[in-house]
Amino acid sequence: MKDRNILKQLDDHLAQLFIIPGLICLIVFVAYPAILTIYNSMTNLSMLTMRATKFVGLKNYVEIISGEEFWISLLNGIKYTFYSLIGQFFIGYVAALSLEKIIYCKSIFRVMLLTPWTFPSIALTFLFSWMLDPSFGIINFILEGLNIIDNPIPWFGAKNTALFSVIMMNIWFGFPFIMLTLLSGFQTIPNEYFEVAEIEGLNFIQKQKYVILPNLKKVFGVLLILRTIWIFNNYDFIFLTTGGGPGISSQTVPIYSYITAWKRMAMGRGSAITILLLIFVGLFIAIYFKVFGMSEKESNL
Amino acid sequence: MKDHSIKRKKIISIVFCYSILSLLLIIALFPFLHMLFSSLKPSEELFMRPPVFVPQIPTLKWYERVITYSNFFIYLRNSIIITVGATLFGVVIGAMSAYSLTSKPYKGQSIISKSVLIAYMFPPIILIIPLFQIVNKIGLANTHIGLILTYITFSFPFSTYLLISYFRTIPKDITEAAKIDGALNIKIFSTIILPLTGPAIVSTATYSFINSWNEFLYAFILANSDRTKTLPVALYSVKGGEMMEWGTVLSWCTMLTIPSLIFFFLISKQLVSGLTAGAVKG
């Protein structure tokens, strides 16, 4: 009888019990490492010895902020994020609108258009390195054939095209996800709205402005913030194509941090760079919480 | 007369949509087909100028070379162990957390759910140095379990984030009715909630599986010995090697992409409703 009571009591608190493993994960794998990073960032931790011999306070931060490399990386990161987002959203939106309109072959288009999104970053980047190769790449041949360029261009290897090429690759990779998400967003808009718009004789632009955008504000918002953070944090695409080069012409903040910590072996400083990165990401997270009604009542994510 | 012109306008706009979609389809499929076809070309065709798109004398030589490559199956095994491990941990803990965070409010619940979201958005580059230190300190460097544990940093918040939006779609009446009948919470969880969200859990697990399968950064830094190297990291060292063989690299890329492609196609529909459900309902 007593056993039964204990079980019943445990069961009453099942919700609290079930959060324990998740809570442990959060503390051990996210909170503790984050705190460790803050500590590391104030030391001279070196990759060679994996030991910090000195507590240097804010020295790392001061030196990073007063150097040019950080600001160039930050600007590159902003460019990379901004243009990738514009391209992904534009193509994704156009594709979603077109898909919404057609009837035949709709699901074939929908599934096939998803292909770029399924690429592992390593395959994506190696494939693009192959296609953009200055000697054998098919893209240079096509562009030459169309008389768009006169000579083959080393896309990932030239200062003025490196970042641009990664952005193009990123747009190719990312537009299907925007398309798919917006498409499912369209499905939530009641059909009557479209019927009314039809009767009122709204043109294409007006339909976007008065029917679609107001109803998808939230979808757009969540999508925009999640993608911004993802692209801003993205490391693989640049590392595996240009490596941040030539020089630092395509180096973003995550790459800057990687090179500092693992190539120049200055892990303390590398940690400080990631904390600066986190401040920017934190800004976006704060906007997310602010905009998407994280009121006490409906605050489960 | 007016009807006629409206109809015509409609036809034009639909033709226009099909043209846009066809163009996009070519852009989306061309690189994939180029990769697949290139991986089937013998050396002479691979480096032919001007290039040919479709292989004239297709060959499986490159695939053979990858598979007979010294450690290919060890890398494959590593990838499978790590991916399955990370997915299982992530989804089980994720499902428990999602249940907890969508059940009746308790103290700290909303802070925890915000933390999960923050963890989901956390830049992986921040965690890499401390995870490297931790994994080394507890002696799990270059082990499968070490990498699985670090993969939980993204598989767990991601699974929870997705599952919460699915768990929310279960009508409260069902669980409350069972509660009134005196059913234990654990019974409600296992006989009502889990079966109802089964398909969602499967698609979450699939997505999580693909993410781990494709992951590069953590594996590259935390598990670069032959004993634990995953397929992407092994591929990286092939390309970085002295002898850069595009045929080998491209066939390897194709083998890596195809499982991900198939899984994504299978779950595409379900997945998106989960990713946007939170945003749409709100």
Side-chain angles (χ1 to χ4, degrees), chain A residues 125-126 129 240-241, chain B residues 234-246 249:
Chain A
T125 51
F126 284 6
S129 303
L240 292 168
T241 49
Chain B
L235 171 56
Y236 178 77
S237 43
V238 168
K239 189 184 178 241
E242 291 278 301
M243 286 284 290
M244 166 68 168
E245 279 185 332
W246 274 112
V249 169

Side-chain angles (χ1 to χ4, degrees), chain B:
Chain B
M1 224 18 222
K2 208 179 163 222
D3 265 16
H4 192 69
S5 84
I6 288 178
K7 204 167 181 189
R8 213 173 121 172
K9 237 173 124 184
K10 209 160 187 180
I11 291 175
I12 292 175
S13 85
I14 286 182
V15 169
F16 184 66
C17 288
Y18 275 108
S19 336
I20 287 185
L21 289 171
S22 311
L23 180 70
L24 283 176
L25 195 64
I26 293 171
I27 296 173
L29 289 185
F30 173 78
F32 174 75
L33 292 176
H34 185 53
M35 172 177 79
L36 181 67
F37 289 160
S38 296
S39 71
L40 298 170
K41 287 177 194 163
S43 305
E44 314 85 70
E45 281 182 43
L46 208 50
F47 299 107
M48 205 187 263
R49 297 156 151 267
V52 281
F53 185 59
V54 180
Q56 309 297 310
I57 318 160
T59 167
L60 285 173
K61 163 176 114 177
W62 303 114
Y63 288 89
E64 223 180 285
R65 189 167 298 185
V66 172
I67 288 172
T68 51
Y69 188 80
S70 52
N71 288 326
F72 181 81
F73 286 99
I74 296 178
Y75 305 143
L76 177 64
R77 185 203 63 185
N78 293 340
S79 263
I80 292 173
I81 292 175
I82 288 161
T83 304
V84 170
T87 306
L88 274 183
F89 270 113
V91 171
V92 169
I93 301 173
M96 289 168 73
S97 305
Y99 167 78
S100 174
L101 296 173
T102 52
S103 64
K104 65 175 192 298
Y106 54 85
K107 212 174 157 214
Q109 191 190 39
S110 94
I111 293 174
I112 295 171
S113 72
K114 277 179 193 166
S115 311
V116 171
L117 188 62
I118 291 173
Y120 174 52
M121 300 177 181
F122 225 69
I125 194 85
I126 290 195
L127 299 177
I128 191 78
I129 296 172
L131 287 176
F132 180 75
Q133 286 174 302
I134 294 170
V135 165
N136 271 305
K137 196 172 271 172
I138 54 181
L140 291 177
N142 279 318
T143 61
H144 293 130
I145 188 76
L147 199 58
I148 290 173
L149 287 175
T150 53
Y151 274 22
I152 293 178
T153 57
F154 61 84
S155 75
F156 153 68
F158 174 78
S159 307
T160 311
Y161 176 78
L162 267 187
L163 286 172
I164 280 181
S165 60
Y166 289 119
F167 277 33
R168 282 246 184 86
T169 61
I170 298 171
K172 277 269 176 305
D173 314 0
I174 301 180
T175 48
E176 249 140 55
K179 190 100 203 146
I180 290 166
D181 287 345
L184 290 174
N185 282 322
I186 187 81
K187 187 133 194 240
I188 295 174
F189 179 71
S190 58
T191 59
I192 298 174
I193 294 179
L194 283 186
L196 277 176
T197 51
I201 291 176
V202 170
S203 71
T204 303
T206 312
Y207 198 178
S208 182
F209 185 93
I210 301 167
N211 277 342
S212 306
W213 177 260
N214 295 351
E215 205 281 334
F216 175 75
L217 176 63
Y218 286 169
F220 174 58
I221 289 179
L222 299 171
N224 42 29
S225 79
D226 265 344
R227 227 157 39 81
T228 47
K229 232 183 229 178
T230 57
L231 285 173
V233 180
L235 171 56
Y236 178 77
S237 43
V238 168
K239 189 184 178 241
E242 291 278 301
M243 286 284 290
M244 166 68 168
E245 279 185 332
W246 274 112
T248 318
V249 169
L250 290 167
S251 58
W252 196 313
C253 286
T254 310
M255 285 195 273
L256 208 55
T257 307
I258 284 178
S260 163
L261 188 84
I262 293 172
F263 279 139
F264 256 124
F265 283 179
L266 289 178
I267 59 162
S268 69
K269 201 153 197 177
Q270 183 123 39
L271 181 71
V272 170
S273 56
L275 284 174
T276 46
V280 176
K281 283 196 205 73

Side-chain angles (χ1 to χ4, degrees), chain A residues 22-267:
Chain A
L23 204 55
I24 293 174
C25 284
L26 282 176
I27 293 169
V28 176
F29 297 119
V30 183
Y32 174 62
I35 292 166
L36 199 56
T37 302
I38 296 176
Y39 171 75
N40 285 339
S41 75
M42 297 191 199
T43 67
N44 65 349
L45 182 67
S46 152
M47 198 215 144
L48 278 181
T49 53
M50 280 320 284
R51 204 172 291 134
T53 50
K54 226 164 73 194
F55 186 81
V56 296
L58 294 175
K59 186 167 158 270
N60 285 328
Y61 291 94
V62 173
E63 282 177 7
I64 293 162
I65 292 177
S66 55
E68 210 183 14
E69 198 173 355
F70 174 72
W71 299 104
I72 294 174
S73 306
L74 184 63
L75 190 66
N76 281 339
I78 292 171
K79 274 190 212 159
Y80 174 58
T81 311
F82 182 75
Y83 291 118
S84 300
L85 279 175
I86 289 198
Q88 290 183 356
F89 270 80
F90 179 73
I91 300 180
Y93 190 53
V94 168
L97 279 179
S98 308
L99 273 177
E100 183 66 17
K101 263 223 142 77
I102 67 167
I103 295 165
Y104 298 107
C105 302
K106 189 173 173 171
S107 61
I108 293 181
F109 273 112
R110 190 178 56 80
V111 172
M112 298 292 251
L113 281 174
L114 205 63
T115 308
W117 180 253
T118 66
F119 266 74
S121 54
I122 191 118
L124 174 77
T125 51
F126 284 6
L127 171 60
F128 271 73
S129 303
W130 167 239
M131 290 199 304
L132 296 173
D133 189 274
S135 338
F136 308 107
I138 198 159
I139 301 281
N140 277 319
F141 278 97
I142 294 175
L143 293 178
E144 275 180 296
L146 296 171
N147 277 323
I148 295 173
I149 56 171
D150 298 327
N151 293 306
I153 295 176
W155 294 97
F156 284 131
K159 257 197 169 113
N160 47 355
T161 52
L163 191 61
F164 169 79
S165 308
V166 187
I167 290 171
M168 288 296 147
M169 183 183 80
N170 195 359
I171 292 173
W172 182 82
F173 166 80
F175 88 84
F177 182 70
I178 309 285
M179 171 194 86
L180 208 56
T181 312
L182 291 180
L183 196 62
S184 79
F186 289 160
Q187 252 107 66
T188 62
I189 302 176
N191 254 331
E192 297 91 73
Y193 289 19
F194 288 107
E195 280 159 22
V196 170
E198 204 69 40
I199 294 164
E200 295 281 322
L202 295 189
N203 66 27
F204 176 76
I205 305 277
Q206 286 168 326
K207 249 188 241 168
Q208 307 307 313
K209 199 169 153 197
Y210 298 114
V211 183
I212 295 184
L213 291 180
N215 283 294
L216 291 187
K217 241 195 242 156
K218 212 162 176 187
V219 177
F220 266 108
V222 171
L223 199 54
L224 192 64
I225 289 181
L226 289 179
R227 293 314 296 157
T228 305
I229 292 176
W230 193 90
I231 298 173
F232 199 67
N233 286 340
N234 171 256
Y235 166 87
D236 306 11
F237 289 6
I238 295 177
F239 176 74
L240 292 168
T241 49
T242 68
I248 54 168
S249 59
S250 61
Q251 180 176 296
T252 57
V253 181
I255 304 281
Y256 177 36
S257 152
Y258 172 82
I259 290 175
T260 308
W262 302 90
K263 290 268 162 69
R264 299 178 195 155
M265 318 229 167
M267 278 196 161

